[in-house]
Amino acid sequence: GRLPKGIYDGTYEFFNGKTSIFVQSTILRVHPVGTLEQQAELSSFSSNKVTAEMGEIIALEAKLKNTGQLPVEGVVIVGIERDGKRIDVLKSDKKVINQKQEGTYSFDWKPEQSGTYTLTAYAEYGIKKTPVQAITVTVNGGLKSMGQILRIVVGVLLVAVVLGVLWWILKKYIR
């Protein structure tokens, strides 16, 4: 028979004659007509900066192109990693893209730490997903910032001078 779209619990059972030899429970998903015919590709993934300062807002943009003959409802997922560890995941709202059209997905990202980040993006549409695309963004700041390094060095020198003067005063006048 024909099942309407939805998710169903099912059991498969194989027999050898009248003897059951294998039983397995599974979930059966019935998708709308045309779901398997949908085609799309992530045509681009980019950022407005490849180098940024810590706390600066970086604009990310992904474009999903419908290459099939049916409309697709797509969502783009961006993963953000630093030093091989996942830091964050950004997910767009769903967007319907008609045949031979392209949809643009925009994200704003504000890095909280300095370092080299790998950003990966892919799109999900229907029951399919596109191959992953990746970009790298370097974020300056923290101890890597020359201004902050200079402030730390000057601070250490001032503390050393103050301690030296105090030691000299104590040595000369307290005998």
PDB file of all heavy atoms in Angstrom, residues 106-141:
ATOM      1  N   SER A 106      23.577  35.009   5.297  1.00  0.00           N
ATOM      2  CA  SER A 106      24.563  35.887   5.931  1.00  0.00           C
ATOM      3  C   SER A 106      24.620  35.630   7.429  1.00  0.00           C
ATOM      4  O   SER A 106      23.585  35.385   8.067  1.00  0.00           O
ATOM      5  CB  SER A 106      24.202  37.347   5.680  1.00  0.00           C
ATOM      6  OG  SER A 106      24.217  37.618   4.294  1.00  0.00           O
ATOM      7  N   PHE A 107      25.830  35.703   7.973  1.00  0.00           N
ATOM      8  CA  PHE A 107      26.070  35.520   9.403  1.00  0.00           C
ATOM      9  C   PHE A 107      27.019  36.605   9.879  1.00  0.00           C
ATOM     10  O   PHE A 107      27.899  37.023   9.137  1.00  0.00           O
ATOM     11  CB  PHE A 107      26.745  34.163   9.678  1.00  0.00           C
ATOM     12  CG  PHE A 107      25.993  32.976   9.170  1.00  0.00           C
ATOM     13  CD1 PHE A 107      26.199  32.506   7.883  1.00  0.00           C
ATOM     14  CD2 PHE A 107      25.097  32.309   9.984  1.00  0.00           C
ATOM     15  CE1 PHE A 107      25.524  31.398   7.403  1.00  0.00           C
ATOM     16  CE2 PHE A 107      24.408  31.194   9.518  1.00  0.00           C
ATOM     17  CZ  PHE A 107      24.626  30.743   8.219  1.00  0.00           C
ATOM     18  N   ASP A 108      26.859  37.047  11.110  1.00  0.00           N
ATOM     19  CA  ASP A 108      27.828  37.924  11.768  1.00  0.00           C
ATOM     20  C   ASP A 108      28.476  37.114  12.877  1.00  0.00           C
ATOM     21  O   ASP A 108      27.782  36.462  13.668  1.00  0.00           O
ATOM     22  CB  ASP A 108      27.155  39.159  12.360  1.00  0.00           C
ATOM     23  CG  ASP A 108      26.740  40.148  11.288  1.00  0.00           C
ATOM     24  OD1 ASP A 108      27.391  40.183  10.227  1.00  0.00           O
ATOM     25  OD2 ASP A 108      25.761  40.889  11.501  1.00  0.00           O
ATOM     26  N   TRP A 109      29.809  37.177  12.950  1.00  0.00           N
ATOM     27  CA  TRP A 109      30.561  36.422  13.951  1.00  0.00           C
ATOM     28  C   TRP A 109      31.555  37.351  14.617  1.00  0.00           C
ATOM     29  O   TRP A 109      32.250  38.110  13.946  1.00  0.00           O
ATOM     30  CB  TRP A 109      31.262  35.246  13.276  1.00  0.00           C
ATOM     31  CG  TRP A 109      32.235  34.532  14.151  1.00  0.00           C
ATOM     32  CD1 TRP A 109      32.001  33.961  15.366  1.00  0.00           C
ATOM     33  CD2 TRP A 109      33.621  34.305  13.862  1.00  0.00           C
ATOM     34  NE1 TRP A 109      33.148  33.396  15.844  1.00  0.00           N
ATOM     35  CE2 TRP A 109      34.160  33.593  14.936  1.00  0.00           C
ATOM     36  CE3 TRP A 109      34.445  34.635  12.794  1.00  0.00           C
ATOM     37  CZ2 TRP A 109      35.483  33.208  14.982  1.00  0.00           C
ATOM     38  CZ3 TRP A 109      35.771  34.250  12.839  1.00  0.00           C
ATOM     39  CH2 TRP A 109      36.278  33.533  13.917  1.00  0.00           C
ATOM     40  N   LYS A 110      31.613  37.302  15.936  1.00  0.00           N
ATOM     41  CA  LYS A 110      32.514  38.171  16.708  1.00  0.00           C
ATOM     42  C   LYS A 110      33.432  37.270  17.539  1.00  0.00           C
ATOM     43  O   LYS A 110      33.019  36.752  18.581  1.00  0.00           O
ATOM     44  CB  LYS A 110      31.697  39.089  17.608  1.00  0.00           C
ATOM     45  CG  LYS A 110      32.522  40.077  18.393  1.00  0.00           C
ATOM     46  CD  LYS A 110      31.604  40.980  19.213  1.00  0.00           C
ATOM     47  CE  LYS A 110      32.394  41.945  20.046  1.00  0.00           C
ATOM     48  NZ  LYS A 110      31.520  42.792  20.858  1.00  0.00           N
ATOM     49  N   PRO A 111      34.683  37.072  17.089  1.00  0.00           N
ATOM     50  CA  PRO A 111      35.597  36.203  17.842  1.00  0.00           C
ATOM     51  C   PRO A 111      35.978  36.824  19.181  1.00  0.00           C
ATOM     52  O   PRO A 111      36.246  38.015  19.263  1.00  0.00           O
ATOM     53  CB  PRO A 111      36.807  36.065  16.922  1.00  0.00           C
ATOM     54  CG  PRO A 111      36.735  37.217  15.990  1.00  0.00           C
ATOM     55  CD  PRO A 111      35.297  37.608  15.874  1.00  0.00           C
ATOM     56  N   GLU A 112      36.018  35.991  20.203  1.00  0.00           N
ATOM     57  CA  GLU A 112      36.320  36.450  21.558  1.00  0.00           C
ATOM     58  C   GLU A 112      37.779  36.210  21.949  1.00  0.00           C
ATOM     59  O   GLU A 112      38.229  36.719  22.960  1.00  0.00           O
ATOM     60  CB  GLU A 112      35.405  35.739  22.567  1.00  0.00           C
ATOM     61  CG  GLU A 112      33.927  36.001  22.330  1.00  0.00           C
ATOM     62  CD  GLU A 112      33.520  37.431  22.573  1.00  0.00           C
ATOM     63  OE1 GLU A 112      34.112  38.090  23.438  1.00  0.00           O
ATOM     64  OE2 GLU A 112      32.617  37.913  21.862  1.00  0.00           O
ATOM     65  N   GLN A 113      38.504  35.412  21.158  1.00  0.00           N
ATOM     66  CA  GLN A 113      39.900  35.112  21.467  1.00  0.00           C
ATOM     67  C   GLN A 113      40.729  35.216  20.207  1.00  0.00           C
ATOM     68  O   GLN A 113      40.218  35.061  19.097  1.00  0.00           O
ATOM     69  CB  GLN A 113      40.043  33.696  22.038  1.00  0.00           C
ATOM     70  CG  GLN A 113      39.364  33.520  23.375  1.00  0.00           C
ATOM     71  CD  GLN A 113      39.548  32.103  23.900  1.00  0.00           C
ATOM     72  OE1 GLN A 113      40.062  31.233  23.223  1.00  0.00           O
ATOM     73  NE2 GLN A 113      39.112  31.880  25.131  1.00  0.00           N
ATOM     74  N   SER A 114      42.016  35.461  20.386  1.00  0.00           N
ATOM     75  CA  SER A 114      42.909  35.515  19.234  1.00  0.00           C
ATOM     76  C   SER A 114      43.269  34.088  18.813  1.00  0.00           C
ATOM     77  O   SER A 114      43.104  33.149  19.572  1.00  0.00           O
ATOM     78  CB  SER A 114      44.172  36.311  19.573  1.00  0.00           C
ATOM     79  OG  SER A 114      44.871  35.677  20.624  1.00  0.00           O
ATOM     80  N   GLY A 115      43.747  33.964  17.595  1.00  0.00           N
ATOM     81  CA  GLY A 115      44.161  32.661  17.092  1.00  0.00           C
ATOM     82  C   GLY A 115      43.754  32.484  15.647  1.00  0.00           C
ATOM     83  O   GLY A 115      43.212  33.389  15.016  1.00  0.00           O
ATOM     84  N   THR A 116      44.021  31.288  15.134  1.00  0.00           N
ATOM     85  CA  THR A 116      43.643  30.945  13.769  1.00  0.00           C
ATOM     86  C   THR A 116      42.402  30.059  13.820  1.00  0.00           C
ATOM     87  O   THR A 116      42.411  29.015  14.476  1.00  0.00           O
ATOM     88  CB  THR A 116      44.795  30.224  13.050  1.00  0.00           C
ATOM     89  OG1 THR A 116      45.936  31.090  13.055  1.00  0.00           O
ATOM     90  CG2 THR A 116      44.424  29.889  11.621  1.00  0.00           C
ATOM     91  N   TYR A 117      41.368  30.491  13.151  1.00  0.00           N
ATOM     92  CA  TYR A 117      40.086  29.788  13.154  1.00  0.00           C
ATOM     93  C   TYR A 117      39.840  29.140  11.800  1.00  0.00           C
ATOM     94  O   TYR A 117      40.147  29.717  10.767  1.00  0.00           O
ATOM     95  CB  TYR A 117      38.940  30.760  13.440  1.00  0.00           C
ATOM     96  CG  TYR A 117      38.916  31.296  14.847  1.00  0.00           C
ATOM     97  CD1 TYR A 117      39.712  32.372  15.226  1.00  0.00           C
ATOM     98  CD2 TYR A 117      38.079  30.729  15.805  1.00  0.00           C
ATOM     99  CE1 TYR A 117      39.685  32.867  16.512  1.00  0.00           C
ATOM    100  CE2 TYR A 117      38.043  31.218  17.098  1.00  0.00           C
ATOM    101  CZ  TYR A 117      38.850  32.285  17.450  1.00  0.00           C
ATOM    102  OH  TYR A 117      38.819  32.770  18.729  1.00  0.00           O
ATOM    103  N   THR A 118      39.274  27.948  11.831  1.00  0.00           N
ATOM    104  CA  THR A 118      38.806  27.283  10.619  1.00  0.00           C
ATOM    105  C   THR A 118      37.282  27.307  10.657  1.00  0.00           C
ATOM    106  O   THR A 118      36.678  26.830  11.623  1.00  0.00           O
ATOM    107  CB  THR A 118      39.307  25.826  10.555  1.00  0.00           C
ATOM    108  OG1 THR A 118      40.736  25.842  10.594  1.00  0.00           O
ATOM    109  CG2 THR A 118      38.833  25.149   9.283  1.00  0.00           C
ATOM    110  N   LEU A 119      36.696  27.882   9.622  1.00  0.00           N
ATOM    111  CA  LEU A 119      35.248  27.962   9.518  1.00  0.00           C
ATOM    112  C   LEU A 119      34.805  27.043   8.397  1.00  0.00           C
ATOM    113  O   LEU A 119      35.322  27.135   7.282  1.00  0.00           O
ATOM    114  CB  LEU A 119      34.802  29.398   9.241  1.00  0.00           C
ATOM    115  CG  LEU A 119      34.976  30.376  10.406  1.00  0.00           C
ATOM    116  CD1 LEU A 119      36.405  30.837  10.526  1.00  0.00           C
ATOM    117  CD2 LEU A 119      34.075  31.549  10.232  1.00  0.00           C
ATOM    118  N   THR A 120      33.880  26.146   8.687  1.00  0.00           N
ATOM    119  CA  THR A 120      33.371  25.217   7.690  1.00  0.00           C
ATOM    120  C   THR A 120      31.881  25.458   7.492  1.00  0.00           C
ATOM    121  O   THR A 120      31.174  25.794   8.440  1.00  0.00           O
ATOM    122  CB  THR A 120      33.587  23.751   8.133  1.00  0.00           C
ATOM    123  OG1 THR A 120      32.984  23.550   9.411  1.00  0.00           O
ATOM    124  CG2 THR A 120      35.076  23.422   8.210  1.00  0.00           C
ATOM    125  N   ALA A 121      31.436  25.295   6.264  1.00  0.00           N
ATOM    126  CA  ALA A 121      30.014  25.498   5.972  1.00  0.00           C
ATOM    127  C   ALA A 121      29.512  24.403   5.046  1.00  0.00           C
ATOM    128  O   ALA A 121      30.250  23.915   4.179  1.00  0.00           O
ATOM    129  CB  ALA A 121      29.797  26.859   5.325  1.00  0.00           C
ATOM    130  N   TYR A 122      28.274  24.026   5.251  1.00  0.00           N
ATOM    131  CA  TYR A 122      27.571  23.133   4.338  1.00  0.00           C
ATOM    132  C   TYR A 122      26.092  23.471   4.414  1.00  0.00           C
ATOM    133  O   TYR A 122      25.650  24.154   5.338  1.00  0.00           O
ATOM    134  CB  TYR A 122      27.833  21.651   4.669  1.00  0.00           C
ATOM    135  CG  TYR A 122      27.279  21.199   5.998  1.00  0.00           C
ATOM    136  CD1 TYR A 122      25.998  20.642   6.085  1.00  0.00           C
ATOM    137  CD2 TYR A 122      28.020  21.315   7.158  1.00  0.00           C
ATOM    138  CE1 TYR A 122      25.489  20.232   7.298  1.00  0.00           C
ATOM    139  CE2 TYR A 122      27.524  20.908   8.376  1.00  0.00           C
ATOM    140  CZ  TYR A 122      26.256  20.358   8.443  1.00  0.00           C
ATOM    141  OH  TYR A 122      25.750  19.957   9.647  1.00  0.00           O
ATOM    142  N   ALA A 123      25.349  23.012   3.423  1.00  0.00           N
ATOM    143  CA  ALA A 123      23.912  23.279   3.386  1.00  0.00           C
ATOM    144  C   ALA A 123      23.157  21.967   3.469  1.00  0.00           C
ATOM    145  O   ALA A 123      23.603  20.942   2.943  1.00  0.00           O
ATOM    146  CB  ALA A 123      23.537  24.018   2.110  1.00  0.00           C
ATOM    147  N   GLU A 124      22.015  22.005   4.116  1.00  0.00           N
ATOM    148  CA  GLU A 124      21.094  20.867   4.156  1.00  0.00           C
ATOM    149  C   GLU A 124      19.824  21.282   3.434  1.00  0.00           C
ATOM    150  O   GLU A 124      19.331  22.393   3.636  1.00  0.00           O
ATOM    151  CB  GLU A 124      20.754  20.480   5.600  1.00  0.00           C
ATOM    152  CG  GLU A 124      21.917  19.896   6.356  1.00  0.00           C
ATOM    153  CD  GLU A 124      21.554  19.529   7.804  1.00  0.00           C
ATOM    154  OE1 GLU A 124      20.492  19.975   8.294  1.00  0.00           O
ATOM    155  OE2 GLU A 124      22.351  18.813   8.429  1.00  0.00           O
ATOM    156  N   TYR A 125      19.330  20.400   2.581  1.00  0.00           N
ATOM    157  CA  TYR A 125      18.075  20.651   1.868  1.00  0.00           C
ATOM    158  C   TYR A 125      17.391  19.310   1.670  1.00  0.00           C
ATOM    159  O   TYR A 125      18.032  18.321   1.316  1.00  0.00           O
ATOM    160  CB  TYR A 125      18.330  21.355   0.529  1.00  0.00           C
ATOM    161  CG  TYR A 125      19.198  20.583  -0.427  1.00  0.00           C
ATOM    162  CD1 TYR A 125      18.632  19.797  -1.428  1.00  0.00           C
ATOM    163  CD2 TYR A 125      20.583  20.600  -0.317  1.00  0.00           C
ATOM    164  CE1 TYR A 125      19.422  19.066  -2.296  1.00  0.00           C
ATOM    165  CE2 TYR A 125      21.382  19.880  -1.184  1.00  0.00           C
ATOM    166  CZ  TYR A 125      20.794  19.114  -2.175  1.00  0.00           C
ATOM    167  OH  TYR A 125      21.577  18.383  -3.024  1.00  0.00           O
ATOM    168  N   GLY A 126      16.098  19.261   1.933  1.00  0.00           N
ATOM    169  CA  GLY A 126      15.398  17.985   1.859  1.00  0.00           C
ATOM    170  C   GLY A 126      16.080  16.990   2.779  1.00  0.00           C
ATOM    171  O   GLY A 126      16.282  17.238   3.953  1.00  0.00           O
ATOM    172  N   ILE A 127      16.495  15.842   2.211  1.00  0.00           N
ATOM    173  CA  ILE A 127      17.215  14.837   2.999  1.00  0.00           C
ATOM    174  C   ILE A 127      18.684  14.792   2.606  1.00  0.00           C
ATOM    175  O   ILE A 127      19.410  13.893   3.005  1.00  0.00           O
ATOM    176  CB  ILE A 127      16.578  13.441   2.832  1.00  0.00           C
ATOM    177  CG1 ILE A 127      16.609  12.998   1.370  1.00  0.00           C
ATOM    178  CG2 ILE A 127      15.161  13.429   3.378  1.00  0.00           C
ATOM    179  CD1 ILE A 127      16.238  11.541   1.160  1.00  0.00           C
ATOM    180  N   LYS A 128      19.142  15.789   1.870  1.00  0.00           N
ATOM    181  CA  LYS A 128      20.513  15.802   1.374  1.00  0.00           C
ATOM    182  C   LYS A 128      21.308  16.936   2.007  1.00  0.00           C
ATOM    183  O   LYS A 128      20.740  17.853   2.594  1.00  0.00           O
ATOM    184  CB  LYS A 128      20.520  15.976  -0.146  1.00  0.00           C
ATOM    185  CG  LYS A 128      19.818  14.861  -0.896  1.00  0.00           C
ATOM    186  CD  LYS A 128      19.846  15.129  -2.377  1.00  0.00           C
ATOM    187  CE  LYS A 128      19.110  14.042  -3.145  1.00  0.00           C
ATOM    188  NZ  LYS A 128      19.139  14.299  -4.586  1.00  0.00           N
ATOM    189  N   LYS A 129      22.632  16.841   1.852  1.00  0.00           N
ATOM    190  CA  LYS A 129      23.486  17.949   2.264  1.00  0.00           C
ATOM    191  C   LYS A 129      24.642  18.075   1.280  1.00  0.00           C
ATOM    192  O   LYS A 129      25.029  17.117   0.623  1.00  0.00           O
ATOM    193  CB  LYS A 129      23.971  17.816   3.700  1.00  0.00           C
ATOM    194  CG  LYS A 129      24.958  16.732   3.979  1.00  0.00           C
ATOM    195  CD  LYS A 129      25.312  16.797   5.457  1.00  0.00           C
ATOM    196  CE  LYS A 129      26.475  15.881   5.768  1.00  0.00           C
ATOM    197  NZ  LYS A 129      26.882  15.976   7.160  1.00  0.00           N
ATOM    198  N   THR A 130      25.153  19.288   1.184  1.00  0.00           N
ATOM    199  CA  THR A 130      26.225  19.588   0.237  1.00  0.00           C
ATOM    200  C   THR A 130      27.576  19.222   0.848  1.00  0.00           C
ATOM    201  O   THR A 130      27.702  19.080   2.061  1.00  0.00           O
ATOM    202  CB  THR A 130      26.246  21.085  -0.119  1.00  0.00           C
ATOM    203  OG1 THR A 130      26.582  21.827   1.060  1.00  0.00           O
ATOM    204  CG2 THR A 130      24.908  21.544  -0.669  1.00  0.00           C
ATOM    205  N   PRO A 131      28.615  19.124   0.000  1.00  0.00           N
ATOM    206  CA  PRO A 131      29.964  18.963   0.540  1.00  0.00           C
ATOM    207  C   PRO A 131      30.360  20.201   1.356  1.00  0.00           C
ATOM    208  O   PRO A 131      29.849  21.298   1.146  1.00  0.00           O
ATOM    209  CB  PRO A 131      30.843  18.842  -0.715  1.00  0.00           C
ATOM    210  CG  PRO A 131      29.914  18.378  -1.791  1.00  0.00           C
ATOM    211  CD  PRO A 131      28.590  18.992  -1.461  1.00  0.00           C
ATOM    212  N   VAL A 132      31.283  20.006   2.272  1.00  0.00           N
ATOM    213  CA  VAL A 132      31.742  21.072   3.175  1.00  0.00           C
ATOM    214  C   VAL A 132      32.746  21.967   2.461  1.00  0.00           C
ATOM    215  O   VAL A 132      33.595  21.490   1.717  1.00  0.00           O
ATOM    216  CB  VAL A 132      32.384  20.449   4.431  1.00  0.00           C
ATOM    217  CG1 VAL A 132      33.010  21.514   5.319  1.00  0.00           C
ATOM    218  CG2 VAL A 132      31.362  19.644   5.205  1.00  0.00           C
ATOM    219  N   GLN A 133      32.638  23.267   2.700  1.00  0.00           N
ATOM    220  CA  GLN A 133      33.639  24.238   2.247  1.00  0.00           C
ATOM    221  C   GLN A 133      34.249  24.875   3.482  1.00  0.00           C
ATOM    222  O   GLN A 133      33.568  25.064   4.487  1.00  0.00           O
ATOM    223  CB  GLN A 133      33.006  25.318   1.368  1.00  0.00           C
ATOM    224  CG  GLN A 133      32.551  24.803   0.017  1.00  0.00           C
ATOM    225  CD  GLN A 133      32.171  25.939  -0.909  1.00  0.00           C
ATOM    226  OE1 GLN A 133      32.608  27.067  -0.749  1.00  0.00           O
ATOM    227  NE2 GLN A 133      31.341  25.623  -1.895  1.00  0.00           N
ATOM    228  N   ALA A 134      35.543  25.223   3.408  1.00  0.00           N
ATOM    229  CA  ALA A 134      36.233  25.773   4.569  1.00  0.00           C
ATOM    230  C   ALA A 134      37.012  27.028   4.209  1.00  0.00           C
ATOM    231  O   ALA A 134      37.491  27.170   3.081  1.00  0.00           O
ATOM    232  CB  ALA A 134      37.181  24.728   5.153  1.00  0.00           C
ATOM    233  N   ILE A 135      37.105  27.933   5.180  1.00  0.00           N
ATOM    234  CA  ILE A 135      37.953  29.118   5.068  1.00  0.00           C
ATOM    235  C   ILE A 135      38.708  29.271   6.389  1.00  0.00           C
ATOM    236  O   ILE A 135      38.318  28.702   7.410  1.00  0.00           O
ATOM    237  CB  ILE A 135      37.151  30.397   4.749  1.00  0.00           C
ATOM    238  CG1 ILE A 135      36.084  30.660   5.810  1.00  0.00           C
ATOM    239  CG2 ILE A 135      36.554  30.352   3.367  1.00  0.00           C
ATOM    240  CD1 ILE A 135      35.339  31.981   5.624  1.00  0.00           C
ATOM    241  N   THR A 136      39.799  30.038   6.356  1.00  0.00           N
ATOM    242  CA  THR A 136      40.596  30.288   7.551  1.00  0.00           C
ATOM    243  C   THR A 136      40.612  31.782   7.841  1.00  0.00           C
ATOM    244  O   THR A 136      40.785  32.583   6.931  1.00  0.00           O
ATOM    245  CB  THR A 136      42.043  29.778   7.349  1.00  0.00           C
ATOM    246  OG1 THR A 136      41.993  28.386   7.058  1.00  0.00           O
ATOM    247  CG2 THR A 136      42.877  30.000   8.594  1.00  0.00           C
ATOM    248  N   VAL A 137      40.421  32.141   9.108  1.00  0.00           N
ATOM    249  CA  VAL A 137      40.449  33.528   9.542  1.00  0.00           C
ATOM    250  C   VAL A 137      41.432  33.631  10.710  1.00  0.00           C
ATOM    251  O   VAL A 137      41.345  32.852  11.665  1.00  0.00           O
ATOM    252  CB  VAL A 137      39.053  34.024   9.984  1.00  0.00           C
ATOM    253  CG1 VAL A 137      39.119  35.431  10.542  1.00  0.00           C
ATOM    254  CG2 VAL A 137      38.075  33.959   8.819  1.00  0.00           C
ATOM    255  N   THR A 138      42.362  34.582  10.620  1.00  0.00           N
ATOM    256  CA  THR A 138      43.320  34.826  11.693  1.00  0.00           C
ATOM    257  C   THR A 138      42.851  36.024  12.506  1.00  0.00           C
ATOM    258  O   THR A 138      42.568  37.078  11.942  1.00  0.00           O
ATOM    259  CB  THR A 138      44.723  35.097  11.121  1.00  0.00           C
ATOM    260  OG1 THR A 138      45.104  33.972  10.325  1.00  0.00           O
ATOM    261  CG2 THR A 138      45.733  35.298  12.230  1.00  0.00           C
ATOM    262  N   VAL A 139      42.772  35.838  13.818  1.00  0.00           N
ATOM    263  CA  VAL A 139      42.320  36.898  14.710  1.00  0.00           C
ATOM    264  C   VAL A 139      43.494  37.337  15.579  1.00  0.00           C
ATOM    265  O   VAL A 139      44.089  36.520  16.286  1.00  0.00           O
ATOM    266  CB  VAL A 139      41.143  36.422  15.588  1.00  0.00           C
ATOM    267  CG1 VAL A 139      40.712  37.506  16.564  1.00  0.00           C
ATOM    268  CG2 VAL A 139      39.977  35.991  14.712  1.00  0.00           C
ATOM    269  N   ASN A 140      43.831  38.615  15.492  1.00  0.00           N
ATOM    270  CA  ASN A 140      44.913  39.186  16.290  1.00  0.00           C
ATOM    271  C   ASN A 140      44.345  39.783  17.553  1.00  0.00           C
ATOM    272  O   ASN A 140      43.208  40.228  17.590  1.00  0.00           O
ATOM    273  CB  ASN A 140      45.650  40.277  15.504  1.00  0.00           C
ATOM    274  CG  ASN A 140      46.280  39.728  14.254  1.00  0.00           C
ATOM    275  OD1 ASN A 140      46.862  38.655  14.261  1.00  0.00           O
ATOM    276  ND2 ASN A 140      46.155  40.456  13.159  1.00  0.00           N
ATOM    277  N   GLY A 141      45.147  39.852  18.577  1.00  0.00           N
ATOM    278  CA  GLY A 141      44.712  40.421  19.846  1.00  0.00           C
ATOM    279  C   GLY A 141      45.324  39.645  20.983  1.00  0.00           C
ATOM    280  O   GLY A 141      46.133  38.752  20.790  1.00  0.00           O
TER     281      GLY A 141
END
